[in-house]
Amino acid sequence: MLSQVDALPFLNADHPLLAHALLAGRNPAQVFQAMFADHLKQALPLQKTTFEPTMVNNEDENKEVEQPISNDPALTPVPTDPDKEASFFKRTLLAIKSFLGSPIFWKNVGGIIVASLLLFGLTLFLLGRYTHHGSSYVVEDYIDMNFDDAKRKARGKTLRAVVIDSIFLIGEAPNIVKDQDPKPGSKVKKRRTIYMWVTGGQAPEILLPNLAGKDDFETYRRELERRNVRLIIKERKFDRKLQENTLLGFYYRGDKISTEMVNDGFKVVEGSTLEAIVSQ
Protein backbone atom coordinates (compact mmCIF):
# COMPACT_ATOMS: atom_id res chain seq x y z
CA MET A 1 0.00 0.00 0.00
CA LEU A 2 1.33 3.44 -0.98
CA SER A 3 0.74 6.29 1.41
CA GLN A 4 1.52 9.98 1.09
CA VAL A 5 2.75 11.69 4.19
CA ASP A 6 2.45 15.42 4.69
CA ALA A 7 5.93 16.69 5.35
CA LEU A 8 4.76 19.55 7.55
CA PRO A 9 2.12 18.09 9.86
CA PHE A 10 3.47 19.74 13.01
CA LEU A 11 4.00 23.21 11.55
CA ASN A 12 1.48 25.98 12.11
CA ALA A 13 1.44 29.73 11.79
CA ASP A 14 2.91 30.20 15.27
CA HIS A 15 5.95 27.93 14.70
CA PRO A 16 9.26 29.90 14.89
CA LEU A 17 10.59 28.14 11.81
CA LEU A 18 7.70 29.34 9.68
CA ALA A 19 7.93 32.85 11.08
CA HIS A 20 11.68 33.16 10.43
CA ALA A 21 11.31 31.73 6.91
CA LEU A 22 8.60 34.21 6.09
CA LEU A 23 10.66 37.12 7.43
CA ALA A 24 13.63 35.96 5.33
CA GLY A 25 11.50 35.76 2.20
CA ARG A 26 12.00 31.99 1.84
CA ASN A 27 9.52 29.22 1.26
CA PRO A 28 9.07 27.40 4.60
CA ALA A 29 8.55 24.07 2.82
CA GLN A 30 11.90 24.29 1.04
CA VAL A 31 13.66 25.25 4.26
CA PHE A 32 12.06 22.28 6.03
CA GLN A 33 13.01 19.85 3.23
CA ALA A 34 16.59 21.08 3.18
CA MET A 35 16.95 20.44 6.90
CA PHE A 36 15.18 17.08 7.14
CA ALA A 37 15.52 15.57 3.63
CA ASP A 38 17.80 12.72 4.76
CA HIS A 39 15.54 11.73 7.63
CA LEU A 40 12.39 11.83 5.53
CA LYS A 41 13.88 9.43 2.98
CA GLN A 42 14.48 6.75 5.58
CA ALA A 43 12.11 3.82 5.62
CA LEU A 44 9.20 4.20 7.93
CA PRO A 45 8.42 1.40 10.33
CA LEU A 46 5.09 0.84 8.63
CA GLN A 47 4.96 -2.27 6.45
CA LYS A 48 4.59 -1.75 2.71
CA THR A 49 4.59 1.97 3.22
CA THR A 50 6.66 4.36 1.22
CA PHE A 51 7.07 8.05 1.75
CA GLU A 52 6.43 10.45 -1.07
CA PRO A 53 6.56 14.14 -0.23
CA THR A 54 3.63 16.07 -1.54
CA MET A 55 4.50 19.68 -0.54
CA VAL A 56 7.80 20.00 -2.46
CA ASN A 57 8.57 19.36 -6.12
CA ASN A 58 12.12 17.99 -6.38
CA GLU A 59 12.55 19.37 -9.85
CA ASP A 60 11.71 22.85 -8.65
CA GLU A 61 13.80 22.59 -5.48
CA ASN A 62 15.83 25.66 -6.30
CA LYS A 63 12.92 27.52 -7.82
CA GLU A 64 11.30 30.30 -5.88
CA VAL A 65 7.91 29.20 -4.59
CA GLU A 66 5.18 31.72 -4.07
CA GLN A 67 4.88 32.61 -0.40
CA PRO A 68 1.75 31.09 1.07
CA ILE A 69 -0.89 33.30 2.58
CA SER A 70 -1.12 32.84 6.33
CA ASN A 71 -4.35 33.08 8.28
CA ASP A 72 -2.50 34.49 11.31
CA PRO A 73 -3.99 37.93 12.13
CA ALA A 74 -0.56 39.05 13.33
CA LEU A 75 0.93 38.36 9.88
CA THR A 76 -2.04 39.61 7.85
CA PRO A 77 -1.36 43.05 6.33
CA VAL A 78 -3.43 45.75 7.99
CA PRO A 79 -5.71 47.51 5.46
CA THR A 80 -5.12 51.17 5.01
CA ASP A 81 -7.73 53.42 6.70
CA PRO A 82 -8.90 56.04 4.18
CA ASP A 83 -9.68 58.50 6.99
CA LYS A 84 -6.05 58.45 8.15
CA GLU A 85 -4.86 59.30 4.66
CA ALA A 86 -7.35 62.14 4.31
CA SER A 87 -6.21 65.70 4.77
CA PHE A 88 -6.34 67.41 8.15
CA PHE A 89 -9.14 69.69 6.93
CA LYS A 90 -11.24 66.74 5.80
CA ARG A 91 -10.72 64.92 9.08
CA THR A 92 -11.70 68.07 10.95
CA LEU A 93 -14.90 68.43 8.93
CA LEU A 94 -15.76 64.80 9.57
CA ALA A 95 -15.18 65.26 13.31
CA ILE A 96 -17.36 68.38 13.38
CA LYS A 97 -20.08 66.66 11.40
CA SER A 98 -19.99 63.71 13.74
CA PHE A 99 -20.12 66.01 16.79
CA LEU A 100 -23.01 68.07 15.43
CA GLY A 101 -24.95 64.94 14.63
CA SER A 102 -24.59 63.46 18.10
CA PRO A 103 -27.65 63.49 20.40
CA ILE A 104 -25.65 64.84 23.34
CA PHE A 105 -24.81 67.96 21.34
CA TRP A 106 -28.44 68.82 20.60
CA LYS A 107 -29.37 68.00 24.18
CA ASN A 108 -26.84 70.53 25.43
CA VAL A 109 -27.96 73.11 22.87
CA GLY A 110 -31.57 72.72 23.99
CA GLY A 111 -30.54 73.10 27.61
CA ILE A 112 -28.63 76.30 26.83
CA ILE A 113 -31.58 77.78 24.93
CA VAL A 114 -34.02 77.01 27.74
CA ALA A 115 -31.65 78.42 30.38
CA SER A 116 -31.10 81.58 28.30
CA LEU A 117 -34.85 82.16 27.90
CA LEU A 118 -35.41 81.69 31.62
CA LEU A 119 -32.58 84.09 32.45
CA PHE A 120 -33.88 86.67 29.96
CA GLY A 121 -37.40 86.48 31.37
CA LEU A 122 -36.15 86.78 34.94
CA THR A 123 -34.05 89.81 34.00
CA LEU A 124 -37.02 91.56 32.40
CA PHE A 125 -39.17 90.80 35.44
CA LEU A 126 -36.62 92.15 37.92
CA LEU A 127 -35.89 95.19 35.74
CA GLY A 128 -39.59 95.98 35.54
CA ARG A 129 -39.91 95.70 39.29
CA TYR A 130 -36.91 97.93 39.86
CA THR A 131 -37.85 100.64 37.35
CA HIS A 132 -41.61 100.27 37.95
CA HIS A 133 -42.17 99.64 34.28
CA GLY A 134 -45.71 100.49 33.21
CA SER A 135 -46.45 102.71 36.24
CA SER A 136 -45.89 106.40 35.51
CA TYR A 137 -47.18 109.68 36.93
CA VAL A 138 -47.95 112.97 35.25
CA VAL A 139 -45.98 115.82 36.80
CA GLU A 140 -48.28 118.56 38.06
CA ASP A 141 -47.72 122.29 37.78
CA TYR A 142 -46.10 123.54 40.99
CA ILE A 143 -45.10 126.99 39.71
CA ASP A 144 -46.22 129.94 41.89
CA MET A 145 -46.96 127.55 44.75
CA ASN A 146 -45.29 127.76 48.12
CA PHE A 147 -42.48 125.20 48.17
CA ASP A 148 -43.76 123.48 51.30
CA ASP A 149 -47.19 123.00 49.70
CA ALA A 150 -45.62 121.77 46.46
CA LYS A 151 -43.47 119.31 48.40
CA ARG A 152 -46.49 117.81 50.19
CA LYS A 153 -48.43 117.56 46.93
CA ALA A 154 -45.54 115.81 45.17
CA ARG A 155 -45.15 113.37 48.07
CA GLY A 156 -48.78 112.34 47.54
CA LYS A 157 -47.75 111.14 44.05
CA THR A 158 -44.75 109.24 45.49
CA LEU A 159 -42.45 111.95 44.08
CA ARG A 160 -39.70 113.95 45.77
CA ALA A 161 -39.35 117.73 45.58
CA VAL A 162 -36.04 119.47 46.30
CA VAL A 163 -34.82 123.07 45.96
CA ILE A 164 -31.94 123.33 43.55
CA ASP A 165 -31.52 127.14 43.68
CA SER A 166 -33.13 130.29 45.08
CA ILE A 167 -33.65 133.53 43.20
CA PHE A 168 -34.46 136.87 44.75
CA LEU A 169 -37.20 138.69 42.90
CA ILE A 170 -38.32 142.17 43.82
CA GLY A 171 -41.90 142.19 45.03
CA GLU A 172 -42.07 138.39 45.35
CA ALA A 173 -42.57 136.61 48.63
CA PRO A 174 -39.83 134.15 49.61
CA ASN A 175 -40.04 130.37 49.09
CA ILE A 176 -42.27 130.56 46.00
CA VAL A 177 -41.67 128.03 43.19
CA LYS A 178 -40.72 129.86 39.99
CA ASP A 179 -39.54 126.94 37.84
CA GLN A 180 -39.37 123.15 37.93
CA ASP A 181 -37.75 120.18 36.20
CA PRO A 182 -39.31 117.99 34.80
CA LYS A 183 -41.81 120.41 33.35
CA PRO A 184 -45.54 120.19 34.10
CA GLY A 185 -47.25 117.41 32.11
CA SER A 186 -44.16 115.19 31.88
CA LYS A 187 -44.48 111.48 32.70
CA VAL A 188 -42.12 110.12 35.31
CA LYS A 189 -41.60 106.94 37.31
CA LYS A 190 -42.26 106.39 40.97
CA ARG A 191 -39.95 108.18 43.43
CA ARG A 192 -38.66 110.55 40.74
CA THR A 193 -37.11 113.79 42.04
CA ILE A 194 -38.63 117.13 40.97
CA TYR A 195 -36.07 119.94 41.04
CA MET A 196 -37.44 123.41 41.86
CA TRP A 197 -36.21 126.99 41.74
CA VAL A 198 -37.76 129.19 44.42
CA THR A 199 -37.62 132.84 45.43
CA GLY A 200 -35.03 133.68 48.04
CA GLY A 201 -35.95 135.08 51.42
CA GLN A 202 -33.00 137.43 51.59
CA ALA A 203 -31.88 139.62 48.74
CA PRO A 204 -28.19 139.74 47.84
CA GLU A 205 -26.19 142.90 48.42
CA ILE A 206 -25.15 145.08 45.48
CA LEU A 207 -22.01 147.19 45.42
CA LEU A 208 -22.83 150.73 44.26
CA PRO A 209 -20.80 151.83 41.22
CA ASN A 210 -18.18 154.58 41.54
CA LEU A 211 -19.47 158.12 40.82
CA ALA A 212 -16.45 159.12 38.75
CA GLY A 213 -17.82 160.22 35.40
CA LYS A 214 -21.32 159.14 36.45
CA ASP A 215 -22.32 161.86 38.90
CA ASP A 216 -25.26 162.96 36.72
CA PHE A 217 -28.54 161.76 38.18
CA GLU A 218 -29.93 160.22 34.97
CA THR A 219 -26.64 158.49 34.12
CA TYR A 220 -26.33 157.01 37.61
CA ARG A 221 -29.99 156.01 37.72
CA ARG A 222 -29.63 153.90 34.56
CA GLU A 223 -26.49 152.32 36.03
CA LEU A 224 -28.33 151.31 39.23
CA GLU A 225 -31.36 150.13 37.30
CA ARG A 226 -29.23 147.41 35.69
CA ARG A 227 -28.37 146.24 39.24
CA ASN A 228 -32.01 146.12 40.37
CA VAL A 229 -31.60 149.18 42.61
CA ARG A 230 -34.08 152.04 42.36
CA LEU A 231 -32.84 155.69 42.46
CA ILE A 232 -35.15 158.62 43.20
CA ILE A 233 -34.62 162.29 44.04
CA LYS A 234 -35.27 163.07 47.70
CA GLU A 235 -33.76 166.53 48.05
CA ARG A 236 -32.44 169.41 45.91
CA LYS A 237 -29.72 171.86 46.99
CA PHE A 238 -28.68 175.12 45.34
CA ASP A 239 -25.14 175.12 44.01
CA ARG A 240 -23.97 177.79 41.56
CA LYS A 241 -20.78 175.92 40.70
CA LEU A 242 -22.33 172.57 39.61
CA GLN A 243 -24.68 171.68 36.84
CA GLU A 244 -28.24 170.91 37.73
CA ASN A 245 -29.04 167.33 38.90
CA THR A 246 -25.44 166.61 39.90
CA LEU A 247 -25.37 164.02 42.68
CA LEU A 248 -24.34 165.49 46.04
CA GLY A 249 -25.21 162.58 48.35
CA PHE A 250 -27.74 159.82 49.16
CA TYR A 251 -30.10 158.51 51.79
CA TYR A 252 -30.34 154.78 52.38
CA ARG A 253 -32.89 153.43 54.84
CA GLY A 254 -32.97 156.79 56.57
CA ASP A 255 -29.19 157.16 56.85
CA LYS A 256 -27.26 159.82 54.93
CA ILE A 257 -24.56 158.47 52.61
CA SER A 258 -21.87 160.76 51.24
CA THR A 259 -20.42 160.54 47.75
CA GLU A 260 -17.03 159.66 49.33
CA MET A 261 -18.60 156.62 51.02
CA VAL A 262 -20.03 155.49 47.70
CA ASN A 263 -16.66 155.87 45.95
CA ASP A 264 -14.94 153.90 48.72
CA GLY A 265 -17.42 151.01 48.26
CA PHE A 266 -20.91 150.86 49.65
CA LYS A 267 -23.42 147.98 49.35
CA VAL A 268 -27.19 148.06 49.27
CA VAL A 269 -29.70 145.20 49.12
CA GLU A 270 -30.85 144.25 45.66
CA GLY A 271 -34.32 145.62 44.99
CA SER A 272 -34.00 148.41 47.51
CA THR A 273 -34.51 152.14 46.86
CA LEU A 274 -31.71 154.71 47.08
CA GLU A 275 -32.68 158.36 47.60
CA ALA A 276 -30.48 161.02 46.00
CA ILE A 277 -29.55 164.62 46.84
CA VAL A 278 -29.01 166.62 43.64
CA SER A 279 -27.87 170.13 42.80
CA GLN A 280 -30.20 172.92 41.66
Side-chain angles (χ1 to χ4, degrees):
M1 180 176 66
L2 180 63
S3 299
Q4 291 184 346
V5 180
D6 192 343
L8 303 175
F10 61 95
L11 293 181
N12 52 50
D14 296 329
H15 198 280
L17 180 62
L18 176 60
H20 285 294
L22 290 175
L23 291 176
R26 300 294 301 276
N27 190 319
Q30 290 181 343
V31 174
F32 183 82
Q33 182 186 17
M35 294 176 62
F36 301 101
D38 296 337
H39 299 281
L40 292 176
K41 292 179 180 180
Q42 295 179 2
L44 295 177
L46 297 177
Q47 295 181 356
K48 299 181 181 180
T49 302
T50 60
F51 175 77
E52 182 179 349
T54 59
M55 298 296 295
V56 180
N57 189 348
N58 292 331
E59 296 178 356
D60 299 332
E61 179 177 354
N62 296 325
K63 187 178 181 180
E64 288 291 337
V65 180
E66 184 179 358
Q67 181 176 337
I69 299 177
S70 173
N71 294 328
D72 185 4
L75 301 177
T76 304
V78 179
T80 303
D81 190 354
D83 292 339
K84 292 184 179 180
E85 297 179 354
S87 65
F88 174 78
F89 180 72
K90 183 177 180 180
R91 293 198 305 271
T92 303
L93 289 180
L94 291 176
I96 295 175
K97 182 178 179 181
S98 176
F99 176 72
L100 294 179
S102 62
I104 189 66
F105 170 77
W106 292 108
K107 183 179 180 180
N108 291 334
V109 169
I112 293 174
I113 293 175
V114 172
S116 300
L117 292 176
L118 291 176
L119 181 61
F120 180 72
L122 181 61
T123 302
L124 290 181
F125 174 76
L126 295 177
L127 187 62
R129 295 278 295 181
Y130 178 76
T131 60
H132 305 284
H133 181 70
S135 59
S136 59
Y137 300 91
V138 178
V139 178
E140 297 186 21
D141 188 356
Y142 303 106
I143 298 177
D144 294 332
M145 293 179 58
N146 183 279
F147 174 73
D148 295 332
D149 296 336
K151 186 177 181 180
R152 284 191 294 269
K153 194 171 184 180
R155 190 183 298 120
K157 296 288 187 179
T158 66
L159 302 175
R160 296 176 60 243
V162 297
V163 175
I164 192 173
D165 197 6
S166 61
I167 308 169
F168 177 78
L169 297 176
I170 301 174
E172 291 281 353
N175 212 34
I176 301 299
V177 179
K178 303 308 295 182
D179 199 2
Q180 67 181 67
D181 182 35
K183 299 296 183 182
S186 303
K187 291 185 177 182
V188 296
K189 300 296 183 181
K190 189 177 180 180
R191 298 187 182 90
R192 174 68 184 272
T193 300
I194 310 298
Y195 300 98
M196 298 182 178
W197 287 260
V198 301
T199 55
Q202 184 177 359
E205 291 185 331
I206 302 299
L207 179 66
L208 295 177
N210 196 288
L211 290 169
K214 302 175 183 177
D215 59 353
D216 178 69
F217 173 80
E218 285 297 328
T219 302
Y220 203 70
R221 183 188 66 80
R222 290 192 295 269
E223 190 71 22
L224 293 182
E225 192 176 55
R226 289 194 290 269
R227 291 170 170 80
N228 290 329
V229 177
R230 184 185 178 198
L231 180 64
I232 62 174
I233 297 177
K234 178 181 177 61
E235 182 181 341
R236 293 181 181 271
K237 285 187 177 182
F238 176 77
D239 192 324
R240 66 179 63 185
K241 295 182 180 180
L242 297 176
Q243 290 184 345
E244 191 171 356
N245 291 330
T246 300
L247 295 171
L248 303 176
F250 304 92
Y251 285 94
Y252 179 66
R253 293 181 176 179
D255 298 329
K256 190 173 182 179
I257 308 298
S258 65
T259 55
E260 289 78 9
M261 295 173 63
V262 173
N263 289 335
D264 290 340
F266 188 84
K267 293 182 178 180
V268 298
V269 176
E270 183 181 356
S272 62
T273 300
L274 187 65
E275 298 173 315
I277 303 172
V278 297
S279 63
Q280 179 179 344

